[in-house]
PDB file of all heavy atoms in Angstrom:
ATOM      1  N   LEU A 831     -19.681  18.462  -7.976  1.00 98.00           N
ATOM      2  CA  LEU A 831     -19.257  17.578  -6.894  1.00 98.00           C
ATOM      3  C   LEU A 831     -20.409  16.683  -6.475  1.00 98.00           C
ATOM      4  O   LEU A 831     -21.533  17.147  -6.309  1.00 98.00           O
ATOM      5  CB  LEU A 831     -18.788  18.401  -5.689  1.00 98.00           C
ATOM      6  CG  LEU A 831     -18.097  17.467  -4.694  1.00 98.00           C
ATOM      7  CD1 LEU A 831     -16.620  17.384  -4.955  1.00 98.00           C
ATOM      8  CD2 LEU A 831     -18.356  17.888  -3.263  1.00 98.00           C
ATOM      9  N   SER A 832     -20.149  15.403  -6.321  1.00 98.00           N
ATOM     10  CA  SER A 832     -21.161  14.496  -5.805  1.00 98.00           C
ATOM     11  C   SER A 832     -20.633  13.901  -4.509  1.00 98.00           C
ATOM     12  O   SER A 832     -19.565  13.274  -4.497  1.00 98.00           O
ATOM     13  CB  SER A 832     -21.448  13.384  -6.854  1.00 98.00           C
ATOM     14  OG  SER A 832     -22.379  12.491  -6.282  1.00 98.00           O
ATOM     15  N   PHE A 833     -21.357  14.130  -3.433  1.00 98.00           N
ATOM     16  CA  PHE A 833     -20.900  13.770  -2.112  1.00 98.00           C
ATOM     17  C   PHE A 833     -21.884  12.840  -1.428  1.00 98.00           C
ATOM     18  O   PHE A 833     -23.115  13.080  -1.455  1.00 98.00           O
ATOM     19  CB  PHE A 833     -20.751  15.036  -1.242  1.00 98.00           C
ATOM     20  CG  PHE A 833     -20.475  14.795   0.221  1.00 98.00           C
ATOM     21  CD1 PHE A 833     -19.171  14.572   0.653  1.00 98.00           C
ATOM     22  CD2 PHE A 833     -21.514  14.780   1.138  1.00 98.00           C
ATOM     23  CE1 PHE A 833     -18.923  14.315   1.987  1.00 98.00           C
ATOM     24  CE2 PHE A 833     -21.261  14.521   2.484  1.00 98.00           C
ATOM     25  CZ  PHE A 833     -19.945  14.295   2.911  1.00 98.00           C
ATOM     26  N   THR A 834     -21.395  11.783  -0.785  1.00 98.00           N
ATOM     27  CA  THR A 834     -22.224  10.988   0.102  1.00 98.00           C
ATOM     28  C   THR A 834     -21.534  10.966   1.430  1.00 98.00           C
ATOM     29  O   THR A 834     -20.330  10.653   1.531  1.00 98.00           O
ATOM     30  CB  THR A 834     -22.389   9.553  -0.417  1.00 98.00           C
ATOM     31  OG1 THR A 834     -23.038   9.597  -1.692  1.00 98.00           O
ATOM     32  CG2 THR A 834     -23.253   8.710   0.522  1.00 98.00           C
ATOM     33  N   GLY A 835     -22.271  11.278   2.491  1.00 98.00           N
ATOM     34  CA  GLY A 835     -21.695  11.303   3.825  1.00 98.00           C
ATOM     35  C   GLY A 835     -22.593  11.998   4.820  1.00 98.00           C
ATOM     36  O   GLY A 835     -23.812  12.119   4.622  1.00 98.00           O
ATOM     37  N   SER A 836     -21.956  12.520   5.872  1.00 98.00           N
ATOM     38  CA  SER A 836     -22.730  13.109   6.970  1.00 98.00           C
ATOM     39  C   SER A 836     -23.237  14.520   6.611  1.00 98.00           C
ATOM     40  O   SER A 836     -22.706  15.169   5.729  1.00 98.00           O
ATOM     41  CB  SER A 836     -21.828  13.199   8.192  1.00 98.00           C
ATOM     42  OG  SER A 836     -20.763  14.114   7.908  1.00 98.00           O
ATOM     43  N   ASN A 837     -24.241  14.950   7.331  1.00 98.00           N
ATOM     44  CA  ASN A 837     -24.769  16.301   7.115  1.00 98.00           C
ATOM     45  C   ASN A 837     -23.754  17.368   7.448  1.00 98.00           C
ATOM     46  O   ASN A 837     -23.684  18.399   6.799  1.00 98.00           O
ATOM     47  CB  ASN A 837     -26.041  16.494   7.936  1.00 98.00           C
ATOM     48  CG  ASN A 837     -27.190  15.785   7.289  1.00 98.00           C
ATOM     49  OD1 ASN A 837     -27.171  14.570   7.125  1.00 98.00           O
ATOM     50  ND2 ASN A 837     -28.207  16.533   6.865  1.00 98.00           N
ATOM     51  N   ALA A 838     -22.923  17.111   8.507  1.00 98.00           N
ATOM     52  CA  ALA A 838     -21.956  18.109   8.904  1.00 98.00           C
ATOM     53  C   ALA A 838     -20.968  18.379   7.775  1.00 98.00           C
ATOM     54  O   ALA A 838     -20.724  19.536   7.405  1.00 98.00           O
ATOM     55  CB  ALA A 838     -21.214  17.642  10.169  1.00 98.00           C
ATOM     56  N   VAL A 839     -20.427  17.319   7.187  1.00 98.00           N
ATOM     57  CA  VAL A 839     -19.458  17.516   6.101  1.00 98.00           C
ATOM     58  C   VAL A 839     -20.193  17.934   4.831  1.00 98.00           C
ATOM     59  O   VAL A 839     -19.703  18.780   4.076  1.00 98.00           O
ATOM     60  CB  VAL A 839     -18.620  16.223   5.887  1.00 98.00           C
ATOM     61  CG1 VAL A 839     -17.677  16.402   4.708  1.00 98.00           C
ATOM     62  CG2 VAL A 839     -17.836  15.888   7.128  1.00 98.00           C
ATOM     63  N   GLY A 840     -21.400  17.384   4.600  1.00 98.00           N
ATOM     64  CA  GLY A 840     -22.175  17.789   3.441  1.00 98.00           C
ATOM     65  C   GLY A 840     -22.369  19.291   3.379  1.00 98.00           C
ATOM     66  O   GLY A 840     -22.284  19.930   2.311  1.00 98.00           O
ATOM     67  N   SER A 841     -22.597  19.863   4.529  1.00 98.00           N
ATOM     68  CA  SER A 841     -22.841  21.303   4.568  1.00 98.00           C
ATOM     69  C   SER A 841     -21.536  22.075   4.238  1.00 98.00           C
ATOM     70  O   SER A 841     -21.593  23.082   3.503  1.00 98.00           O
ATOM     71  CB  SER A 841     -23.420  21.653   5.940  1.00 98.00           C
ATOM     72  OG  SER A 841     -22.928  22.806   6.419  1.00 98.00           O
ATOM     73  N   GLN A 842     -20.393  21.560   4.667  1.00 98.00           N
ATOM     74  CA  GLN A 842     -19.112  22.224   4.295  1.00 98.00           C
ATOM     75  C   GLN A 842     -18.842  22.116   2.808  1.00 98.00           C
ATOM     76  O   GLN A 842     -18.394  23.058   2.144  1.00 98.00           O
ATOM     77  CB  GLN A 842     -17.965  21.569   5.044  1.00 98.00           C
ATOM     78  CG  GLN A 842     -17.971  21.813   6.553  1.00 98.00           C
ATOM     79  CD  GLN A 842     -16.796  21.106   7.214  1.00 98.00           C
ATOM     80  OE1 GLN A 842     -15.681  21.106   6.720  1.00 98.00           O
ATOM     81  NE2 GLN A 842     -17.047  20.459   8.339  1.00 98.00           N
ATOM     82  N   VAL A 843     -19.145  20.911   2.295  1.00 97.00           N
ATOM     83  CA  VAL A 843     -18.935  20.655   0.862  1.00 97.00           C
ATOM     84  C   VAL A 843     -19.837  21.591   0.032  1.00 97.00           C
ATOM     85  O   VAL A 843     -19.442  22.127  -0.987  1.00 97.00           O
ATOM     86  CB  VAL A 843     -19.226  19.162   0.610  1.00 97.00           C
ATOM     87  CG1 VAL A 843     -19.565  18.909  -0.845  1.00 97.00           C
ATOM     88  CG2 VAL A 843     -18.053  18.315   1.057  1.00 97.00           C
ATOM     89  N   MET A 844     -21.063  21.757   0.529  1.00 97.00           N
ATOM     90  CA  MET A 844     -22.025  22.615  -0.204  1.00 97.00           C
ATOM     91  C   MET A 844     -21.544  24.080  -0.152  1.00 97.00           C
ATOM     92  O   MET A 844     -21.697  24.805  -1.140  1.00 97.00           O
ATOM     93  CB  MET A 844     -23.386  22.509   0.451  1.00 97.00           C
ATOM     94  CG  MET A 844     -24.508  22.967  -0.451  1.00 97.00           C
ATOM     95  SD  MET A 844     -26.069  22.521   0.316  1.00 97.00           S
ATOM     96  CE  MET A 844     -27.146  23.497  -0.681  1.00 97.00           C
ATOM     97  N   ARG A 845     -20.953  24.474   0.958  1.00 97.00           N
ATOM     98  CA  ARG A 845     -20.434  25.842   1.051  1.00 97.00           C
ATOM     99  C   ARG A 845     -19.307  26.058   0.036  1.00 97.00           C
ATOM    100  O   ARG A 845     -19.249  27.091  -0.599  1.00 97.00           O
ATOM    101  CB  ARG A 845     -19.868  26.107   2.471  1.00 97.00           C
ATOM    102  CG  ARG A 845     -20.825  26.937   3.308  1.00 97.00           C
ATOM    103  CD  ARG A 845     -20.131  27.512   4.524  1.00 97.00           C
ATOM    104  NE  ARG A 845     -19.630  26.501   5.420  1.00 97.00           N
ATOM    105  CZ  ARG A 845     -20.364  25.891   6.370  1.00 97.00           C
ATOM    106  NH1 ARG A 845     -21.616  26.227   6.525  1.00 97.00           N
ATOM    107  NH2 ARG A 845     -19.857  24.975   7.132  1.00 97.00           N
ATOM    108  N   SER A 846     -18.410  25.037  -0.120  1.00 96.00           N
ATOM    109  CA  SER A 846     -17.330  25.261  -1.091  1.00 96.00           C
ATOM    110  C   SER A 846     -17.863  25.240  -2.504  1.00 96.00           C
ATOM    111  O   SER A 846     -17.350  25.946  -3.371  1.00 96.00           O
ATOM    112  CB  SER A 846     -16.175  24.263  -0.905  1.00 96.00           C
ATOM    113  OG  SER A 846     -16.622  22.975  -0.887  1.00 96.00           O
ATOM    114  N   ALA A 847     -18.964  24.498  -2.744  1.00 95.00           N
ATOM    115  CA  ALA A 847     -19.571  24.538  -4.075  1.00 95.00           C
ATOM    116  C   ALA A 847     -20.255  25.879  -4.283  1.00 95.00           C
ATOM    117  O   ALA A 847     -20.199  26.460  -5.387  1.00 95.00           O
ATOM    118  CB  ALA A 847     -20.598  23.412  -4.207  1.00 95.00           C
ATOM    119  N   ALA A 848     -20.877  26.420  -3.221  1.00 96.00           N
ATOM    120  CA  ALA A 848     -21.569  27.679  -3.351  1.00 96.00           C
ATOM    121  C   ALA A 848     -20.597  28.807  -3.673  1.00 96.00           C
ATOM    122  O   ALA A 848     -20.892  29.685  -4.473  1.00 96.00           O
ATOM    123  CB  ALA A 848     -22.293  28.030  -2.030  1.00 96.00           C
ATOM    124  N   ALA A 849     -19.385  28.723  -3.122  1.00 95.00           N
ATOM    125  CA  ALA A 849     -18.386  29.769  -3.373  1.00 95.00           C
ATOM    126  C   ALA A 849     -18.084  29.860  -4.869  1.00 95.00           C
ATOM    127  O   ALA A 849     -17.711  30.909  -5.347  1.00 95.00           O
ATOM    128  CB  ALA A 849     -17.115  29.473  -2.582  1.00 95.00           C
ATOM    129  N   GLN A 850     -18.259  28.748  -5.567  1.00 93.00           N
ATOM    130  CA  GLN A 850     -17.962  28.775  -7.001  1.00 93.00           C
ATOM    131  C   GLN A 850     -19.224  28.564  -7.848  1.00 93.00           C
ATOM    132  O   GLN A 850     -19.121  28.277  -9.042  1.00 93.00           O
ATOM    133  CB  GLN A 850     -16.958  27.684  -7.322  1.00 93.00           C
ATOM    134  CG  GLN A 850     -15.669  27.881  -6.522  1.00 93.00           C
ATOM    135  CD  GLN A 850     -14.684  26.753  -6.690  1.00 93.00           C
ATOM    136  OE1 GLN A 850     -14.546  26.197  -7.751  1.00 93.00           O
ATOM    137  NE2 GLN A 850     -14.040  26.373  -5.599  1.00 93.00           N
ATOM    138  N   CYS A 851     -20.400  28.703  -7.211  1.00 95.00           N
ATOM    139  CA  CYS A 851     -21.672  28.489  -7.911  1.00 95.00           C
ATOM    140  C   CYS A 851     -21.627  27.198  -8.745  1.00 95.00           C
ATOM    141  O   CYS A 851     -21.895  27.213  -9.934  1.00 95.00           O
ATOM    142  CB  CYS A 851     -22.034  29.667  -8.791  1.00 95.00           C
ATOM    143  SG  CYS A 851     -22.488  31.072  -7.858  1.00 95.00           S
ATOM    144  N   ARG A 852     -21.286  26.096  -8.084  1.00 96.00           N
ATOM    145  CA  ARG A 852     -21.095  24.850  -8.800  1.00 96.00           C
ATOM    146  C   ARG A 852     -22.136  23.845  -8.362  1.00 96.00           C
ATOM    147  O   ARG A 852     -22.506  23.808  -7.162  1.00 96.00           O
ATOM    148  CB  ARG A 852     -19.698  24.341  -8.432  1.00 96.00           C
ATOM    149  CG  ARG A 852     -19.275  23.146  -9.140  1.00 96.00           C
ATOM    150  CD  ARG A 852     -17.798  22.970  -8.992  1.00 96.00           C
ATOM    151  NE  ARG A 852     -17.379  22.726  -7.615  1.00 96.00           N
ATOM    152  CZ  ARG A 852     -16.162  22.964  -7.151  1.00 96.00           C
ATOM    153  NH1 ARG A 852     -15.256  23.466  -7.923  1.00 96.00           N
ATOM    154  NH2 ARG A 852     -15.872  22.692  -5.907  1.00 96.00           N
ATOM    155  N   PRO A 853     -22.675  23.023  -9.246  1.00 97.00           N
ATOM    156  CA  PRO A 853     -23.723  22.085  -8.814  1.00 97.00           C
ATOM    157  C   PRO A 853     -23.179  20.991  -7.891  1.00 97.00           C
ATOM    158  O   PRO A 853     -22.026  20.584  -7.992  1.00 97.00           O
ATOM    159  CB  PRO A 853     -24.235  21.452 -10.114  1.00 97.00           C
ATOM    160  CG  PRO A 853     -23.195  21.730 -11.115  1.00 97.00           C
ATOM    161  CD  PRO A 853     -22.413  22.947 -10.688  1.00 97.00           C
ATOM    162  N   VAL A 854     -24.046  20.564  -6.959  1.00 97.00           N
ATOM    163  CA  VAL A 854     -23.710  19.463  -6.059  1.00 97.00           C
ATOM    164  C   VAL A 854     -24.841  18.444  -6.005  1.00 97.00           C
ATOM    165  O   VAL A 854     -26.010  18.797  -6.120  1.00 97.00           O
ATOM    166  CB  VAL A 854     -23.473  19.892  -4.591  1.00 97.00           C
ATOM    167  CG1 VAL A 854     -22.147  20.518  -4.397  1.00 97.00           C
ATOM    168  CG2 VAL A 854     -24.595  20.786  -4.083  1.00 97.00           C
ATOM    169  N   THR A 855     -24.454  17.196  -5.855  1.00 98.00           N
ATOM    170  CA  THR A 855     -25.414  16.177  -5.448  1.00 98.00           C
ATOM    171  C   THR A 855     -25.006  15.786  -4.032  1.00 98.00           C
ATOM    172  O   THR A 855     -23.812  15.553  -3.783  1.00 98.00           O
ATOM    173  CB  THR A 855     -25.351  14.973  -6.384  1.00 98.00           C
ATOM    174  OG1 THR A 855     -25.780  15.353  -7.662  1.00 98.00           O
ATOM    175  CG2 THR A 855     -26.245  13.834  -5.895  1.00 98.00           C
ATOM    176  N   LEU A 856     -25.969  15.731  -3.117  1.00 98.00           N
ATOM    177  CA  LEU A 856     -25.653  15.361  -1.728  1.00 98.00           C
ATOM    178  C   LEU A 856     -26.526  14.200  -1.295  1.00 98.00           C
ATOM    179  O   LEU A 856     -27.764  14.288  -1.405  1.00 98.00           O
ATOM    180  CB  LEU A 856     -25.916  16.562  -0.804  1.00 98.00           C
ATOM    181  CG  LEU A 856     -25.116  17.851  -1.018  1.00 98.00           C
ATOM    182  CD1 LEU A 856     -25.568  18.926  -0.042  1.00 98.00           C
ATOM    183  CD2 LEU A 856     -23.622  17.587  -0.843  1.00 98.00           C
ATOM    184  N   GLU A 857     -25.869  13.146  -0.850  1.00 98.00           N
ATOM    185  CA  GLU A 857     -26.594  11.998  -0.271  1.00 98.00           C
ATOM    186  C   GLU A 857     -26.212  11.972   1.189  1.00 98.00           C
ATOM    187  O   GLU A 857     -25.077  11.616   1.529  1.00 98.00           O
ATOM    188  CB  GLU A 857     -26.180  10.691  -0.966  1.00 98.00           C
ATOM    189  CG  GLU A 857     -26.521  10.588  -2.433  1.00 98.00           C
ATOM    190  CD  GLU A 857     -28.007  10.382  -2.674  1.00 98.00           C
ATOM    191  OE1 GLU A 857     -28.743  10.160  -1.701  1.00 98.00           O
ATOM    192  OE2 GLU A 857     -28.410  10.493  -3.830  1.00 98.00           O
ATOM    193  N   LEU A 858     -27.123  12.410   2.062  1.00 98.00           N
ATOM    194  CA  LEU A 858     -26.746  12.657   3.445  1.00 98.00           C
ATOM    195  C   LEU A 858     -27.422  11.631   4.429  1.00 98.00           C
ATOM    196  O   LEU A 858     -27.724  10.537   4.046  1.00 98.00           O
ATOM    197  CB  LEU A 858     -27.086  14.102   3.809  1.00 98.00           C
ATOM    198  CG  LEU A 858     -26.464  15.136   2.868  1.00 98.00           C
ATOM    199  CD1 LEU A 858     -26.921  16.539   3.211  1.00 98.00           C
ATOM    200  CD2 LEU A 858     -24.931  15.039   2.859  1.00 98.00           C
ATOM    201  N   GLY A 859     -27.624  12.064   5.630  1.00 97.00           N
ATOM    202  CA  GLY A 859     -28.068  11.150   6.660  1.00 97.00           C
ATOM    203  C   GLY A 859     -29.569  10.896   6.675  1.00 97.00           C
ATOM    204  O   GLY A 859     -30.328  11.405   5.843  1.00 97.00           O
ATOM    205  N   GLY A 860     -29.979  10.092   7.612  1.00 98.00           N
ATOM    206  CA  GLY A 860     -31.399   9.763   7.733  1.00 98.00           C
ATOM    207  C   GLY A 860     -31.786   9.409   9.175  1.00 98.00           C
ATOM    208  O   GLY A 860     -30.897   9.155  10.025  1.00 98.00           O
ATOM    209  N   LYS A 861     -33.064   9.421   9.423  1.00 98.00           N
ATOM    210  CA  LYS A 861     -33.627   8.937  10.727  1.00 98.00           C
ATOM    211  C   LYS A 861     -34.968   8.374  10.335  1.00 98.00           C
ATOM    212  O   LYS A 861     -36.023   8.981  10.600  1.00 98.00           O
ATOM    213  CB  LYS A 861     -33.712  10.087  11.724  1.00 98.00           C
ATOM    214  CG  LYS A 861     -34.084   9.626  13.117  1.00 98.00           C
ATOM    215  CD  LYS A 861     -32.935   8.938  13.822  1.00 98.00           C
ATOM    216  CE  LYS A 861     -33.349   8.366  15.148  1.00 98.00           C
ATOM    217  NZ  LYS A 861     -32.253   7.636  15.840  1.00 98.00           N
ATOM    218  N   SER A 862     -34.933   7.265   9.623  1.00 98.00           N
ATOM    219  CA  SER A 862     -36.121   6.811   8.906  1.00 98.00           C
ATOM    220  C   SER A 862     -37.070   6.014   9.780  1.00 98.00           C
ATOM    221  O   SER A 862     -36.652   5.362  10.731  1.00 98.00           O
ATOM    222  CB  SER A 862     -35.683   6.016   7.690  1.00 98.00           C
ATOM    223  OG  SER A 862     -34.902   6.852   6.860  1.00 98.00           O
ATOM    224  N   ALA A 863     -38.350   6.045   9.376  1.00 98.00           N
ATOM    225  CA  ALA A 863     -39.386   5.378  10.163  1.00 98.00           C
ATOM    226  C   ALA A 863     -39.779   4.073   9.509  1.00 98.00           C
ATOM    227  O   ALA A 863     -39.776   3.917   8.289  1.00 98.00           O
ATOM    228  CB  ALA A 863     -40.617   6.283  10.234  1.00 98.00           C
ATOM    229  N   ILE A 864     -40.153   3.103  10.360  1.00 98.00           N
ATOM    230  CA  ILE A 864     -40.818   1.884   9.900  1.00 98.00           C
ATOM    231  C   ILE A 864     -42.149   1.875  10.644  1.00 98.00           C
ATOM    232  O   ILE A 864     -42.190   1.962  11.893  1.00 98.00           O
ATOM    233  CB  ILE A 864     -39.968   0.625  10.118  1.00 98.00           C
ATOM    234  CG1 ILE A 864     -40.730  -0.614   9.649  1.00 98.00           C
ATOM    235  CG2 ILE A 864     -39.477   0.455  11.548  1.00 98.00           C
ATOM    236  CD1 ILE A 864     -39.820  -1.844   9.436  1.00 98.00           C
TER     237      ILE A 864
END
Side-chain angles (χ1 to χ4, degrees):
L831 191 91
S832 177
F833 172 84
T834 298
S836 64
N837 283 61
V839 177
S841 141
Q842 292 179 43
V843 158
M844 198 171 168
R845 258 196 297 275
S846 53
Q850 300 174 40
C851 289
R852 185 165 64 202
V854 282
T855 294
L856 299 176
E857 295 287 352
L858 305 176
K861 188 73 186 178
S862 299
I864 179 162

